Each structure stands twice: as C-alpha cells, then as structure tokens.
Amino acid sequence: MIQRPKGTADLLPEDTRIWQYIEETTRILMNDYRFAEMRTPIFESYDLFARGVGNSTDIVSKEMYDFYDKGERHMALKPEGTASIVRSFVENKLFGPEHKKPYKVYYMSPMFRYERPQSGRSRQFHQIGVEVFGSTNPAIDAETIALAWDLLTELGLEKIKLVINSLGQPSDRQRYRQALIDYLEPLSDQLSRDSKERLHKNPLRVLDSKDKKDQELVKDAPSILDFLSEESAKHFETVQSYLKALNIPYEIDANMVRGLDYYQETIFEIMTDSAAFGAQATICGGGRYDGLVQDLDGPETPGFGFGMGMERLVMLIKDEGIDIPSTDDLDVFVIGLGQETNEEVFSMVQALRQQGFSADRDYFDRKIKAQFKQAQKYEAKAILTIGQEEIEKQTANLKIVKNEKVIPVSFEDLKTDFETIFRQATMDTRAIDEYFS
C-alpha cells in the first residue's frame, strides 16, 4: 500500500476546522495591522537560500531538500519564508517610490526541511510569517512583535512567553564572535560534536545548543549585550520601552541567537511550556535583518519579520482545549417525499445556496424518518419538507428547529427572499408581534 511520505501529514476535515480558524483569524488581524498577503513559489534557486540563509546554518548544510531539475538547475524546496519574500521584493522592485513605506506583507505557506520527525516538527510544515521593509525605527520591531503576540492571544492561547535579545550591528556581532571563540576554545574538548563543528564556523550557534553539557558550559560565556554599540543599545532599550507601554510581558535571554545568519539588532521568540511538546518549544521567532536585501542584490533596505509554525499552533489549541467557532453550520435541510420530488428538491437546494445559505438534501432516497434523522445529525437550523401535495400547491412547510415553529411558505418566496423569511421565523414570539405591529 502506498503511504504518505515520512514526516508529512494528511489534514483531514476534523483537523482543517482548526487550520481554517487560524487562517481566518490571521487574515483579519493582518488587515488590522495593514499587512497584505504575498505568495511565492514552493521551490526556488538553491543559491537563494545558500546566500540568504547562510551556508553554515543547519538549514542549508543539513536539512534542505535540494535537487537538480531537467535543465540541470540547482533548486531547493522552500525551507523558510523570508529569503523568498526578499527575493520577490528585489525582483519586483517593490522598493520603488511608487510603493508605500514601510512595505508590509504576510504569507501562509508550506515549508520543507529534512530532519527527524518529532512532536511539532515535520518534514513538510506550514508557517505564518510577516516581513516589514523600509524602516529602522524600533517602533517597527515592537509593533511586529505585538502583532505576533496579538495573534496568539486572539487565538485564545495562554501558555506562552516572549523572550527578546539583541545581536547588535554586524560590527558588534563580529567583536562578540571573537570573544566567544576565545572563551570556548579552552573548553572545546568538552563541547558536543555539533558545537565543536560550529565553534569556528558559527560560534553563536553554540549558545543555542540543546545539549545539556553545552548549556552548562555557556552559562558563564560573555554576553552579547556587553558588546552592543551605543546606537544598538539605545535601539534595544527603545524596543523594550514600547513593549512595556503595550503591557506585553517579556524576558531578556542574552544567549538566544536564532538559527539564521541574516539577523541583527532585535530578535525574539515566543515559547510555550505546554505538555503537548514534552519540553519548552518555540512557536514563533523572528527579528531584524537590515542587510539581507543588499545580500540578495537589492538596494540598502532594512527589514524585520517573524515566522510562526502552524502545526504547533494546532497542537497548542488542542492542548488548551480552545473552543473553535463553528463555520460549517447547515442552514436548511430539504426533505423530499418520494422520487417524484427530486427535481423540485434539487432546484430548491440550489436556489437557497445562490441566496448565500448553506443547504443540503438526501441523495439515497431514504424514508422521511431517516431524512429527519439526517437533518438532526447535520444540526440543520431549518428543515423544509416537499412532497407531491406541496408541489401542487407550490407551498412548502418550513420548520425552525430552534423554536419548533412550522410555517407554510410559497416556493417563490423561498427561492427569492429566504433571508427575510428565515429572520422573521427565528424571532421569538414577542419579537414577531412587535415586528408585525
């Protein structure tokens, strides 16, 4: 039997309800913050990620799905969203004066990384992300972090905490890099194998190691906050003041570095201690990347963004027992009495749908009792019964399930103005009296 690839998942209808809730909530909030959606290809040039994400990162060196196409072009499935958005920003000249600044976009897209599948981590996963281009104002940092925080709280999540840090400017980071190497070299024989490899290639990643021995060794490492320039220190302090003004709680973790080479200045992660993951997990992360547009052949343009894992959001929503608003309510179930009513039932269902109501019917010629059970199973708000007598009179009985009211309604009214009929019929008795008085 052919099965789905390892590290992927089938999203069945009972699960997609949660996904759609996340997506719809995201679109509403993004509009409030004045972000527009952008969609980029699922596969891109390998060089885009080698240059944009960094050859020394685990994503490019170990995890990326790359291949040569039939034209011998080196391609890669998208492992993250920012590089693709920046490539599009440059290629489509969205930095031009005719475009609004800051330029604010969001995306919802599948991503691919070849890694060991585990709870909340798949080989095909999905991200919500945002990117803001054109401003170095620390208000952009704080506002974008606030957007991520607002989205999670709007979804009803509570088991979350915000952690921030600053990587300073490239010159600050270079000075810190050397200080970190100087600190770690005498301890190199005690480092994990991965950290030994990273020590001279990307020493900041040693700070991010999940190995417990590594974590003990870096506890007394120099803090990057001590290497910030006056300008970067002020930028970071201003971001904190804005977060305080918004009453968004946060912690500072000087060992947090993020896993991508393009970050500088403010970085952040939103974490959870939810039992769904078995250990502390990051559900959202991002930061400032002021040099990335230039690295990908664009003009000098600052940027700030984040990525948020949708699979992890789904797990959190389930773990916290958040009630998902129903979006699949059935407005009307149309019952047909006998095969001779099929044509009229078919016509009625379509007429109701064309008026913007959800409608359904029986397709197996069931008896009337079975059709009523089916309507109850679907939790229909109203039941319309059509038999031969109703066809002759061109009038059908409409039952409002909520108040058990049954009213006769002409076919013409049902097919042309069901909204008025339904609204009046669902009013309580007092409201109906007041409506017609």
Side-chain angles (χ1 to χ4, degrees):
M1 183 176 65
I2 298 175
Q3 297 181 321
R4 57 183 170 80
K6 184 178 181 180
T8 64
D10 297 316
L11 300 180
L12 305 179
E14 54 265 33
D15 292 321
T16 54
R17 286 183 61 249
I18 303 178
W19 286 75
Q20 290 166 356
Y21 168 63
I22 294 171
E23 291 164 352
E24 290 167 10
T25 304
T26 297
R27 288 193 169 94
I28 292 170
L29 195 60
M30 292 297 173
N31 182 65
D32 291 345
Y33 276 76
R34 310 310 298 153
F35 280 74
E37 185 178 8
M38 179 183 284
R39 304 185 185 188
T40 58
I42 285 178
F43 63 96
E44 299 262 15
S45 167
Y46 175 91
D47 291 340
L48 170 65
F49 303 110
R51 290 172 56 187
V53 177
N55 267 318
S56 64
T57 61
D58 287 349
I59 290 175
V60 174
S61 64
K62 298 179 180 180
E63 300 170 358
M64 199 153 63
Y65 278 91
D66 62 304
F67 60 95
Y68 287 88
D69 67 11
K70 293 182 180 181
E72 291 302 310
R73 291 172 288 261
H74 199 180
M75 312 301 291
L77 297 181
K78 188 162 57 179
E80 62 96 46
T82 300
S84 292
I85 297 292
V86 172
R87 190 269 310 150
S88 179
F89 179 80
V90 173
E91 185 174 346
N92 292 288
K93 295 181 173 58
L94 301 177
F95 47 78
E98 66 274 21
H99 298 287
K100 295 178 181 178
K101 300 295 183 299
Y103 193 82
K104 302 161 73 173
V105 296
Y106 76 95
Y107 60 85
M108 291 187 278
S109 175
M111 310 289 175
F112 305 85
R113 294 184 192 177
Y114 190 84
E115 55 184 341
R116 183 172 64 86
Q118 53 187 295
S119 178
R121 191 181 295 273
S122 305
R123 290 178 175 174
Q124 176 179 315
F125 59 100
H126 300 75
Q127 276 191 349
I128 297 168
V130 308
E131 315 295 346
V132 184
F133 299 102
S135 175
T136 58
N137 192 323
I140 290 292
D141 305 27
E143 182 181 280
T144 309
I145 294 171
L147 168 57
W149 188 261
D150 282 355
L151 177 54
L152 295 174
T153 54
E154 189 69 25
L155 291 172
L157 299 174
E158 296 179 351
K159 300 176 183 178
I160 55 175
K161 71 171 183 177
L162 169 64
V163 180
I164 63 173
N165 192 22
S166 175
L167 298 179
Q169 297 175 2
S171 57
D172 305 336
R173 188 166 174 169
Q174 189 59 36
R175 288 188 295 112
Y176 177 65
R177 181 182 187 278
Q178 188 56 52
L180 191 57
I181 291 174
D182 293 341
Y183 171 82
L184 291 172
E185 276 184 335
L187 306 172
S188 61
D189 59 334
Q190 302 176 53
L191 294 172
S192 66
R193 186 176 64 179
D194 283 347
S195 290
K196 286 178 182 177
E197 291 178 3
R198 293 167 175 164
L199 178 53
H200 290 94
K201 291 181 181 178
N202 194 347
L204 272 70
R205 289 304 315 281
V206 178
L207 299 174
D208 208 25
S209 172
K210 300 300 184 288
D211 185 281
K212 290 185 178 179
K213 286 182 65 178
D214 289 346
Q215 292 173 353
E216 283 297 318
L217 291 173
V218 301
K219 277 186 176 180
D220 296 322
S223 169
I224 194 168
L225 298 178
D226 294 331
F227 289 78
L228 298 183
S229 65
E230 184 177 344
E231 180 183 356
S232 291
K234 183 177 180 181
H235 184 103
F236 191 46
E237 289 170 3
T238 305
V239 171
Q240 294 178 62
S241 70
Y242 285 140
L243 292 175
K244 290 174 183 175
L246 297 175
N247 294 316
I248 297 177
Y250 67 88
E251 299 174 11
I252 297 175
D253 181 356
N255 283 347
M256 183 177 68
V257 297
R258 304 289 299 143
L260 306 175
D261 285 353
Y262 51 63
Y263 284 121
Q264 62 183 65
E265 299 287 8
T266 311
I267 59 171
F268 77 97
E269 291 185 359
I270 299 178
M271 302 174 175
T272 178
D273 289 319
S274 167
F277 300 100
Q280 188 176 82
T282 299
I283 55 175
C284 175
R288 181 164 287 280
Y289 49 85
D290 290 351
L292 184 56
V293 175
Q294 298 96 293
D295 289 344
L296 295 178
D297 305 319
E300 184 176 341
T301 308
F304 193 99
F306 68 73
M308 185 179 294
M310 294 183 71
E311 280 83 357
R312 295 191 169 197
L313 292 182
V314 172
M315 291 176 66
L316 270 179
I317 286 171
K318 288 181 176 179
D319 179 60
E320 296 194 22
I322 294 171
D323 186 32
I324 304 301
S326 177
T327 58
D328 60 353
D329 292 344
L330 178 61
D331 293 320
V332 191
F333 189 90
V334 182
I335 291 177
L337 307 180
Q339 292 187 358
E340 63 275 12
T341 67
N342 273 339
E343 186 175 324
E344 185 57 56
V345 169
F346 180 83
S347 173
M348 185 64 71
V349 167
Q350 289 301 104
L352 292 169
R353 289 170 177 167
Q354 288 167 4
Q355 294 178 72
F357 290 88
S358 58
D360 209 345
R361 52 162 295 187
D362 171 62
Y363 293 95
F364 299 98
D365 295 323
R366 294 185 176 99
K367 301 294 185 182
I368 184 171
K369 186 175 181 181
Q371 291 190 55
F372 267 105
K373 285 185 177 179
Q374 189 177 2
Q376 292 172 350
K377 183 178 180 180
Y378 289 174
E379 298 183 350
K381 297 177 183 177
I383 301 173
L384 188 64
T385 306
I386 298 177
Q388 189 58 46
E389 182 179 344
E390 283 74 22
I391 293 176
E392 292 173 0
K393 294 181 178 179
Q394 288 292 289
T395 300
N397 289 321
L398 178 68
K399 178 181 179 179
I400 305 302
V401 174
K402 181 179 179 180
N403 56 22
E404 295 291 320
K405 182 187 297 181
V406 179
I407 56 174
V409 187
S410 72
F411 283 9
E412 182 180 356
D413 288 345
L414 288 167
K415 292 181 178 180
T416 59
D417 194 16
F418 186 74
E419 181 176 1
T420 300
I421 295 165
F422 188 69
R423 186 175 66 248
Q424 293 177 9
T426 52
M427 292 179 180
D428 59 38
T429 305
R430 181 177 177 182
I432 292 174
D433 292 342
E434 291 175 355
Y435 182 85
F436 287 105
S437 62

